[in-house]
Amino acid sequence: MLLAAVAIFILGPLGGIAAAYMNFSLGFFVGGQVLAGILGSAVTYGYGPEGKHGANYMQTMAASVASLSAMAVLIQAMVWMKMPMPPVGPLVLFFCCIGMFGVGLGMLYTPILVDRLKLEYPSGHAVANILRALTDKRLLKNSIKQLGGGVGLGALFAFMVEKVKVVGATGISGATIGAGMVVGSRIAGAGLTMGLIGWAITPYLVSIGWLQEGEPFRKIGFLIALAMILGAALVDLTLIGVEASRRLRTVAAERAAQPEEPAWKQVNMGRLLAWVAFWGVSLVLVATKLLGQPLGFILFAVVLSAVFVLINGISCGISDSNPISSAFVISVLLMSGLGLKDPTVGLMAAAILLASCSTGVDMQQDRSTGWRLGTNRVIQFRFQVVGIVMGAVLCVVLANVFMKAYPVLTIDTFAHPEAKVDQWQSAMTFKFVGALRDLGNLPPYKVTALGIGLGIGLVTEVVRKVLHKSARYKAFTHGSKGGFVTGWVMDTVLLPSPYASSFGGFVELAVAAWFAAGGALSSAINTLTEKPEKVLAAEGGSAEGEAKEQMADAAGPKEKVEEDALPEDMSSTSLVGGGLIAGEALFALAMGIYGLVALVK
């Protein structure tokens, strides 16, 4: 009760207000996990090392509040589009149903993304390291220099980007470099590969009318990137389905041979499926009966959400990027292709995608943190659910409070670009409104771009699966430095994972470059400091790059720390990288709170 009270009444609203402010002003937000984790660790410090679980519950709940509070921009988009505003009660219930449905999907995919694929989730990794370090004196003694130094550097980078124009023009970001350090060069370098290809073909895309002169590749690249992830995911899900079918025939023998799953991991799958079904049906009923939306497009959005929570979860797990606005835009494009012309229906249906991807992927990231800590998943899920209720309320409340306090937020800058809005840029709302105004006019080239991305993802993932199943290829890449280099080039440049390379389609080239720089720095340090055979094993044999291999034996509930040794996934590079992510997140939250307080004064 103590942890829940602190999280729901202090940490949650703090993160929620900051997230809403950042979305209204900057067009992006940070979920507040780092701040909630640090403050939560202070509350649970007296419990000793076991306090990491309590702190994890608190940051989980606070992050849920922030994730939904940031969705206040959807209500701003309604105002911009001059849509009739639904009553407060049904609107809160609508967002609550989306959140509950989203976290259910996130929990449902946890065994695939966290347990089986062992995706990195860099921010989740950073939070896990912070919680372990701040609640265990032995770990704190060994990790404080790397973690503290990384936090300081991350905050310094953020300050310089904010205050020094020359530095800001480089696109440098401490969090981006830190995420690259956590995942390593194969994954980070793959994102740069796609970014460079996009930069190279931009003039051609301009010549065929896919881009306008001066527009960046990512304006069309995000469609290709999301489709690439979908294509690769179809391959992996097919293989998982085949394996599951085979196991069903030998389930009794396997259960007898395999040890029982640890108690902290156990989830009643029947109840979880019932949860997802209940809230999916509730969401459809609220949207159709209380908000008057058509059944067909709401059902389409619910089904599409089940796909994109998985796709965005993979993207976030690999690159720390959750492209929620891209999911919104793609859903609008698909509904436009199906004949939808009503922007109100488009906004309400696409809102299901946006909010469910935000809360569902946040759930997966929190599960990743819990996986490293050995935190009980059922209890963590309950904390997240309570956070969803508070977030749904704050989403509507904060939208009204901000727009009444600052009427400039009600100005449609898409239709009135000449309007002076000062710091209230509302970049995310601008993107939503732009997509909604294209309803009924789906350009054929965007459908072609989606098809190209899907094909690339399918073919690349099939070839990678065949190649990495080859015993000769494994022996070659593990057997010598030349083989290791060949494997690195294949995984990074010639045949990169679609999950990893897609990052280059979501962001500017400079961001992909700094991400790759962080990965290269991490791999170089590990290569110089680790034994050669360990480096070859870590970097040469994983189909998805270093992150999965290095995390295969990551800390769980049976984690043992001999004397003052750090757990395997708390390496120096992961600590510094996590610190960089934390430092920038803390600076962004501090600036958001400071800016809001200054405006109120």
Side-chain angles (χ1 to χ4, degrees):
M1 293 299 294
L2 168 66
L3 303 185
V6 173
I8 201 69
F9 294 118
I10 301 176
L11 302 184
L14 183 65
I17 291 170
Y21 171 81
M22 292 177 71
N23 248 5
F24 282 131
S25 58
L26 303 174
F28 71 89
F29 69 97
V30 293
Q33 286 97 332
V34 173
L35 177 63
I38 291 174
L39 296 179
S41 296
V43 175
T44 62
Y45 182 79
Y47 291 97
E50 290 304 301
K52 63 190 176 187
H53 302 303
N56 191 26
Y57 296 143
M58 296 172 75
Q59 70 86 16
T60 295
M61 182 183 287
S64 293
V65 177
S67 291
L68 267 187
S69 296
M71 298 300 101
V73 290
L74 289 167
I75 299 174
Q76 182 186 25
M78 294 180 191
V79 174
W80 282 22
M81 300 287 289
K82 294 181 170 56
M83 298 175 181
M85 190 61 60
V88 171
L91 196 56
V92 169
L93 189 57
F94 177 65
F95 282 115
C96 185
C97 288
I98 297 175
M100 296 298 189
F101 179 65
V103 296
L105 288 176
M107 189 69 147
L108 194 63
Y109 294 141
T110 293
I112 298 174
L113 304 185
V114 177
D115 298 335
R116 180 183 175 83
L117 294 182
K118 295 183 173 66
L119 299 183
E120 188 71 28
Y121 290 95
S123 288
H125 195 160
V127 173
N129 284 347
I130 289 170
L131 298 186
R132 282 186 290 201
L134 295 182
T135 54
D136 191 326
K137 294 178 181 178
R138 296 172 299 172
L139 297 182
L140 185 60
K141 184 169 67 174
N142 262 12
S143 63
I144 189 63
K145 290 182 180 179
Q146 297 97 325
L147 188 60
V151 171
L153 281 174
L156 179 61
F157 274 130
F159 175 80
M160 293 179 68
V161 168
E162 181 76 18
K163 301 298 182 181
V164 183
K165 290 185 178 180
V166 176
V167 176
T170 66
I172 192 171
S173 163
T176 302
I177 295 174
M181 292 184 70
V182 171
V183 302
S185 62
R186 293 176 189 245
I187 292 173
L192 179 59
T193 296
M194 182 170 179
L196 289 172
I197 291 173
W199 172 76
I201 66 173
T202 294
Y204 172 71
L205 296 176
V206 171
S207 71
I208 62 175
W210 284 29
L211 292 173
Q212 298 299 315
E213 191 68 43
E215 290 182 336
F217 167 70
R218 71 189 184 108
K219 189 164 184 180
I220 188 68
F222 83 91
L223 293 175
I224 299 173
L226 277 173
M228 284 170 56
I229 297 174
L230 177 58
L234 287 174
V235 175
D236 281 327
L237 291 176
T238 299
L239 293 176
I240 291 171
V242 171
E243 182 181 346
S245 177
R246 184 172 62 249
R247 287 186 177 184
L248 284 175
R249 295 192 291 269
T250 57
V251 65
E254 285 193 358
R255 283 181 179 175
Q258 292 181 355
E260 186 178 356
E261 192 172 52
W264 66 271
K265 268 190 179 184
Q266 293 178 8
V267 175
N268 188 312
M269 192 56 66
R271 290 181 181 178
L272 182 57
L273 288 170
W275 175 280
V276 174
F278 173 81
W279 287 107
V281 171
S282 299
L283 174 56
V284 172
L285 291 175
V286 169
T288 55
K289 301 299 182 181
L290 297 184
L291 298 179
Q293 301 303 307
L295 177 63
F297 284 108
I298 294 299
L299 285 174
F300 178 75
V302 169
V303 172
L304 207 58
S305 295
V307 176
F308 273 91
V309 169
L310 176 64
I311 293 174
N312 283 30
I314 293 172
S315 174
C316 188
I318 292 286
S319 63
D320 209 34
S321 170
N322 180 10
I324 55 174
S325 57
S326 296
F328 181 99
V329 173
I330 280 195
S331 66
V332 171
L333 291 176
L334 293 176
M335 287 185 287
S336 178
L338 292 174
L340 179 64
K341 295 183 179 181
D342 186 341
T344 301
V345 176
L347 175 61
M348 298 302 287
I352 296 174
L353 270 291
L354 186 77
S356 62
C357 284
S358 178
T359 56
V361 174
D362 176 64
M363 164 67 77
Q364 293 160 10
Q365 180 170 282
D366 289 338
R367 289 300 81 71
S368 174
T369 299
W371 177 71
R372 290 177 171 86
L373 303 179
T375 300
N376 186 290
R377 285 181 176 171
V378 174
I379 298 177
Q380 195 174 7
F381 183 80
R382 292 169 182 166
F383 271 80
Q384 195 132 22
V385 163
V386 176
I388 290 296
V389 176
M390 174 63 89
V393 174
L394 279 182
C395 173
V396 178
V397 171
L398 290 176
N400 285 283
V401 168
F402 270 92
M403 284 189 286
K404 286 182 179 178
Y406 309 104
V408 68
L409 288 171
T410 64
I411 298 175
D412 179 0
T413 57
F414 192 91
H416 302 283
E418 75 286 353
K420 294 183 179 180
V421 295
D422 299 322
Q423 81 275 16
W424 302 109
Q425 298 298 308
S426 303
M428 189 176 287
T429 309
F430 187 91
K431 188 185 299 184
F432 296 162
V433 171
L436 290 167
R437 287 192 167 141
D438 278 342
L439 270 174
N441 300 294
L442 178 63
Y445 74 86
K446 292 187 176 181
V447 178
T448 303
L450 288 169
I452 290 173
L454 184 66
I456 292 173
L458 278 168
V459 173
T460 302
E461 194 64 16
V462 168
V463 174
R464 283 174 59 83
K465 286 287 188 291
V466 173
L467 184 63
H468 285 278
K469 287 288 184 182
S470 168
R472 293 180 62 186
Y473 180 77
K474 287 183 178 180
F476 173 62
T477 55
H478 281 74
S480 66
K481 290 184 178 180
F484 162 70
V485 171
T486 300
W488 185 91
V489 172
M490 290 293 291
D491 280 345
T492 307
V493 181
L494 300 180
L495 200 67
S497 164
Y499 300 132
S501 60
S502 63
F503 182 69
F506 294 128
V507 300
E508 299 284 4
L509 180 59
V511 177
W514 288 116
F515 185 53
L521 177 62
S522 175
S523 293
I525 292 172
N526 289 332
T527 300
L528 293 173
T529 57
E530 298 288 352
K531 294 180 180 180
E533 62 271 19
K534 186 172 181 180
V535 174
L536 286 173
E539 300 211 17
S542 173
E544 304 304 338
E546 300 130 313
K548 294 182 187 178
E549 193 70 39
Q550 291 171 352
M551 286 188 46
D553 299 315
K558 297 181 180 180
E559 169 190 318
K560 294 181 180 179
V561 181
E562 297 181 2
E563 297 179 356
D564 294 325
L566 291 173
E568 185 176 345
D569 67 333
M570 286 183 73
S571 64
S572 294
T573 52
S574 74
L575 282 168
V576 174
L580 287 167
I581 296 171
E584 183 163 310
L586 288 172
F587 180 83
L589 280 171
M591 287 297 293
I593 295 170
Y594 172 79
L596 183 61
V597 171
L599 285 170
V600 171
K601 288 181 178 179

